[in-house]
Amino acid sequence: MPTISMFYGILVFMYALDVQKHHLPHIHLQYGEFNAVIEIPGGELLDGSLPPKQMKLVQAWIALHSDELMADWTLAAAGSTPYKIDPLR
């Protein structure tokens, strides 16, 4: 599971070939004991949970990097390793 970004204690992952369970482009997140799956590019929660502050940070990051995230999704869906994306600063 490649880590594509990391900021403010939030780890962002994108699995290769992960198109079966959620059927939408998405990212996986981990923040402490919290785990979440968020749709891209819309930022909607598909599974799990994040504290409200971290959810807002992730949604802002998705908005800034939606084109890169969708390009990474295309790579991952085809079985390739996605590229790293700059963290939120």
Side-chain angles (χ1 to χ4, degrees):
M1 152 175 71
T3 303
I4 61 169
S5 196
M6 187 176 2
F7 51 90
Y8 300 107
I10 302 165
L11 300 173
V12 184
F13 307 99
M14 188 176 287
Y15 296 100
L17 300 173
D18 186 20
V19 295
Q20 298 302 315
K21 182 177 179 184
H22 301 290
H23 305 289
L24 295 169
H26 62 277
I27 53 175
H28 295 257
L29 301 125
Q30 182 179 359
Y31 176 74
E33 72 273 8
F34 296 93
N35 291 290
V37 178
I38 298 181
E39 178 263 338
I40 53 174
E44 295 296 318
L45 183 67
L46 297 175
D47 195 15
S49 66
L50 282 177
K53 178 181 175 184
Q54 283 68 29
M55 185 66 169
K56 287 180 184 177
L57 290 171
V58 169
Q59 288 171 329
W61 179 79
I62 289 171
L64 290 170
H65 297 285
S66 62
D67 289 342
E68 294 164 276
L69 284 163
M70 291 307 295
D72 266 1
W73 177 259
T74 300
L75 289 172
S80 297
T81 302
Y83 288 95
K84 301 274 186 197
I85 298 176
D86 288 338
L88 189 64
R89 295 172 199 224

